[in-house]
Structure formats: structure tokens, C-alpha cells
Amino acid sequence: MGLKRAIITGGTGGLGSAIARKLKEEEWEVLALGSDDLNLTDPGAVGDFFRRNPCELLICVAGLVRDEIIFRMSERSWDEVFCINYTAARLTAFAALQRMMERGTGHIVFISSHAAIHPAPGQAAYASAKAALLGLTKDLAGEYGSSGIRINAVLPGFLETPMTQGIEGSRREEVLKAHALGKFNTTAAVAGFIWFLHEHLPFTSGQVFQLDSRP
């Protein structure tokens, strides 16, 4: 029997909130974590949280965008972007895995980005961190598959969320034109896909799913 508990990091943001709503509609217990709920960069705090809160499904949504041309970007900014987008996901995944292994089942979904494959200028730190998540997905899927645990990654595409509100109009139009369907993806569609992936594709692991219409 599944535990029917999902933990979402970045669970109070635009995408995280949409995923939480969808899972609650499907009668899941959801712990949607915001930045004030758990320090995702503190290994001790993360480990303690997951010891007290085992889950069937972990979705690592928490992210940080701080685009800047690489030679202008400070080491501190680089480290902060990499820490939130990759290190925090790694720490939470490792902590969740310990409890999943005890139960012999579980699923982790990393939210990566189209930038991991085709970064725009100024996205070196963000793209590097999101690309590292893809490597982590493949490695963990192979390592923990025999324990009944699935690991997948999702590239949701450009979403109209508070995280993207600061992108200027000309850049937004440029991104839109790169979509074959002429439309952006939605948070609701991404949430629905993640639910479907977990509930209806039980033999799928180690995969990367790009959900927008950019070639």
C-alpha cells in the first residue's frame, strides 16, 4: 500500500502550489514546504525532517534564478544559485531515499529546466545546476531501482509564475516564438503530468520529460 504522502520543496511557489492542489484533489496528504518551513541547505535539518516525515513521493521544485553574464557574476551569487537549484535537491533526495529504502518503494521527481539543455546567455549558473540534476536523475535511478524506487526529471518549460515575472517583454516574446505551438505551458498541466507519471507509469524511471513545445 502506498503511503499517499507527498513532500514538495518550493511548495508555496507558482508551480509547487499547483502540484499541491492537484495531489490534494487526488486525496494525497501533501506537505508543501516554503522557504520558512525548512532550510533545504542544512543537512541536519533536512535529515531530521525526513526521519519524522517519510513520503511516497518527493517533488523537488525549489529554485532560484539570478541570471547574469558569467564574468560579472560573483562567486557568492553562483554558489547561491547552485545551492538552491542542485544541492538542496540532492540533500532532500538523499534524506527521503533512506526512508523509501526501508519501505521498498518511492518516487522522486526533480524539476529541471529547458536551460539545462539550451541555456540562454547569462544562465551559466542556473543551467549548470539544472543540468547537474539530470545527471543525478540518471545515476540515482540506476542505483536505487533494485530497491523499488523511481527517479525522474521534468523540464516544465516557461511558466507564467512569480519566478518569471521579472523577464522583460521582448525576451518573453522571443521565448514564446520558440514554441512550436505558440503557447506557454501551464502550471496545472505540469501538475497533472507529474500526478499521471506517478500514478499511471509505475515502470518508468531514469527519464527526462520535456513538457513544452520547443524543439
Side-chain angles (χ1 to χ4, degrees):
M1 292 291 291
L3 184 61
K4 292 290 277 189
R5 175 187 289 153
I7 295 176
I8 307 170
T9 68
T12 59
L15 177 56
S17 295
I19 297 170
R21 284 193 298 272
K22 174 60 180 176
L23 293 177
K24 288 177 181 178
E25 288 172 3
E26 301 298 333
E27 300 183 344
W28 280 71
E29 176 188 350
V30 178
L31 300 180
L33 305 177
S35 58
D36 295 331
D37 298 313
L38 178 64
N39 182 354
L40 300 176
T41 66
D42 181 340
V46 170
D48 181 63
F49 178 85
F50 280 91
R51 278 190 292 272
R52 292 183 285 106
N53 298 283
C55 64
E56 169 71 16
L57 175 61
L58 168 65
I59 308 166
C60 298
V61 184
L64 173 67
V65 175
R66 193 168 290 165
D67 294 347
E68 195 168 5
I69 300 300
I70 191 167
F71 72 84
R72 294 178 182 166
M73 192 171 205
S74 68
E75 286 294 321
R76 179 177 179 179
S77 291
W78 178 285
D79 290 344
E80 287 175 349
V81 170
F82 208 90
C83 190
I84 295 300
N85 289 290
Y86 173 75
T87 306
R90 177 178 60 81
L91 287 175
T92 53
F94 285 9
L97 279 167
Q98 303 306 310
R99 299 305 305 274
M100 290 178 178
M101 288 181 67
E102 294 172 4
R103 300 178 58 250
T105 185
H107 188 190
I108 297 173
V109 177
F110 293 117
I111 301 299
S112 183
S113 170
H114 184 267
I117 303 172
H118 298 292
Q123 289 193 313
Y126 181 74
S128 296
K130 290 299 190 180
L133 283 180
L134 302 186
L136 188 64
T137 297
K138 297 290 186 178
D139 181 82
L140 294 183
E143 187 172 350
Y144 290 94
S146 61
S147 297
I149 299 168
R150 292 185 287 152
I151 317 288
N152 288 293
V154 169
L155 284 57
F158 189 97
L159 301 172
E160 298 281 11
T161 68
M163 190 173 179
T164 60
Q165 283 181 350
I167 297 177
E168 60 185 21
S170 59
R171 175 56 184 159
R172 187 179 298 265
E173 286 301 314
E174 182 182 344
V175 174
L176 182 60
K177 288 178 181 177
H179 287 66
L181 296 177
K183 298 177 182 179
F184 291 134
N185 199 1
T186 68
T187 57
V190 177
F193 176 84
I194 290 173
W195 170 79
F196 185 88
L197 173 64
H198 181 78
E199 295 279 9
H200 297 291
L201 298 176
F203 306 112
T204 299
S205 187
Q207 304 306 307
V208 176
F209 298 94
Q210 181 177 330
L211 304 186
D212 64 10
S213 64
R214 281 179 285 188

